[in-house]
Every structure is written in structure tokens, then in C-alpha cells.
Amino acid sequence: MRIVVLASGRGSNLAALLAAQAAGQVPVSICAVISDKSDAGALAIARDAGIAVRVLNPAEFSDRARFDHAVFSAAAEFAPELIVCAGFMRVLGAAALAPWLGRIINIHPSLLPKYPGLHTHRRALKAGDRQQGASVHFVSAEVDGGPLIAQVAIDIHTGDTAAQLAERLLPREHALLIASIGLLANGRIRYHKGAVLHEGKLLESPLQLGDDNAWRTAHGD
Ligand code: GRF
């Protein structure tokens, strides 16, 4: 499966995906990395791996819609079957997104629908939650609001700080992204009219990645 990654930050998800690709863990080929930040760590990781990069500076576009279209045109050059937002900190508008619905996913560090947007760990701690996690979902025009594919959860310990939570979650987040992309690449998960099909059946609630990296459904099987 040909993949283009969109990233704004350090790129640990990208690095994990590249390692999984190199290890033959997922049948994917990462064709390009596109960023809105010229100093994103993700770009350095991509360059080191010999992957094409494109930088699009939002300040150089007269409005958001033009920027969004430029992102998708840049991605389209590489004919991806899937676009993966891995720490891409821009909201993509409905018009540009429309032709790509079902072919673009995002990873978000919370158990959506809880805590879309920023500062998810701080918010989970403040709410007194006992678990935090990460979610992979198809992207829609609603921020972190598209149909959920899969999640991974970790326990929150007494006295945890947001930084500790983020650090403990990160390796699980990487495992979730890789396993979710594996499901898409193998055709086990598909997008259908705003919903998710798992093995051809409507997925009522997101798949859960266990500590053993095996999938569980909400029904425990
Ligand atoms: C991750 O926590 C991701 O879920 C969030 O931004 C962070 C990006 O990390 N959206 P990285 O750039 O992949 O290291």
C-alpha cells in the first residue's frame, strides 16, 4: 500500500512506521512526507531514509482552502492509496478533503470521542480519568471527529504528570498506528459511507489493541 505521511512535529510515529516497513511487519511503502513546518523532525527522518519530502508553508497561501488543496495536490503526485496524518497539526477543510474521504487517517493521543484537540493528557488528568489512550480514525472535516477504527489504552497511575503519560503512551501509540495500517493494507478495514467496515461488517465501536498487540472487539473476542 502506497502511503504519504503528513507530519508537523518530531516524527516518532513516522520513524516507527518506517522501522515496521523495513522489518516487513506491514506491507506498505512510504512514498513521501509532507509538512507545514520546514524544521519538523519528521522531515529530517524522511530525508535520512531517502524519502521524498515537500514543505508547504501556510503563510505563503492566501487562505486555508488554497493551502489544503496544495497539500492534497502535493500528496497526489505520489499516487498514495492512503494518507497518514501522524502529528499533523493542521485542520483540513471539507472541500479539499472530500475526494480523499476513506483514504486518509489520523492518530490522536486520547480515547476519542474524549478530548479532541490539544492538551489531551492534561485534560484526562484533570478529569480524574483512570485510563488514557490513543485513537486511529478516518479523517473528516470535524477536528479529530471522523469514524473511529481502533484504540489502545494505558492505565493512569496516581501522581502521573502529563509528560509521564505522554512518554508511556508513545510506544503504544506507535504499535496502534502500525497495527491499524496493517488492517487497512490487508483490506480488513474499509471506509464505507462515513462508517467503518471490519471484515465487511459495520464496526460499532473501535477495535482495541491489547497489551499483547492482539486485537479485541468491544465484545471481548
Ligand atoms: C503524537 O502524540 C500524535 O498522536 C499527536 O502528535 C504527536 C506526534 O508525535 N497527534 P510524533 O511527531 O509522531 O513524534
Side-chain angles (χ1 to χ4, degrees):
M1 175 177 253
R2 291 175 62 79
I3 290 181
V4 166
V5 173
L6 308 187
S8 306
R10 90 198 124 163
S12 70
N13 278 288
L14 170 67
L17 189 53
L18 281 166
Q21 175 193 325
Q25 240 180 296
V26 272
V28 299
S29 153
I30 301 172
C31 310
V33 174
I34 300 173
S35 184
D36 58 326
K37 301 254 189 257
S38 57
D39 59 352
L43 291 173
I45 291 170
R47 288 188 181 109
D48 282 352
I51 291 169
V53 300
R54 299 282 184 275
V55 180
L56 296 168
N57 178 0
E60 287 170 11
F61 293 83
S62 54
D63 59 32
R64 269 187 49 188
R66 284 194 172 80
F67 171 79
D68 294 350
H69 280 290
V71 168
F72 285 110
S73 313
E77 269 181 54
F78 299 93
E81 295 163 273
L82 183 71
I83 297 178
V84 176
C85 300
F88 186 61
M89 302 306 283
R90 305 277 313 180
V91 177
L92 296 162
L97 205 49
W100 292 89
L101 289 178
R103 293 187 291 154
I104 174 166
I105 62 168
N106 179 44
I107 179 146
H108 180 74
S110 81
L111 294 170
L112 289 170
K114 278 186 166 185
Y115 317 126
L118 299 174
H119 310 304
T120 57
H121 302 318
R122 212 189 290 168
R123 288 154 71 196
L125 289 172
K126 196 166 171 213
D129 290 358
R130 297 175 61 181
Q131 286 202 313
Q132 173 64 317
S135 305
V136 169
H137 64 92
F138 284 111
V139 174
S140 71
E142 203 184 317
V143 180
D144 301 322
L148 286 167
I149 299 169
Q151 295 183 322
V152 70
I154 60 166
D155 291 335
I156 295 180
H157 302 156
T158 314
D160 265 345
T161 63
Q164 285 168 332
L165 212 45
E167 191 186 332
R168 226 168 46 248
L169 180 61
L170 198 64
R172 300 308 297 144
E173 190 178 317
H174 296 162
L176 176 72
L177 183 65
I178 291 160
S180 300
I181 290 174
L183 292 178
L184 287 154
N186 292 325
R188 292 176 62 197
I189 284 281
R190 281 191 302 119
Y191 176 91
H192 181 67
K193 296 184 180 169
V196 180
L197 298 183
H198 175 232
E199 316 281 14
K201 282 193 228 128
L202 188 68
L203 188 65
E204 310 266 1
S205 54
L207 297 170
Q208 303 291 327
L209 191 68
D211 292 344
D212 55 357
N213 283 345
W215 289 114
R216 322 224 183 295
T217 65
H219 315 290
D221 45 345

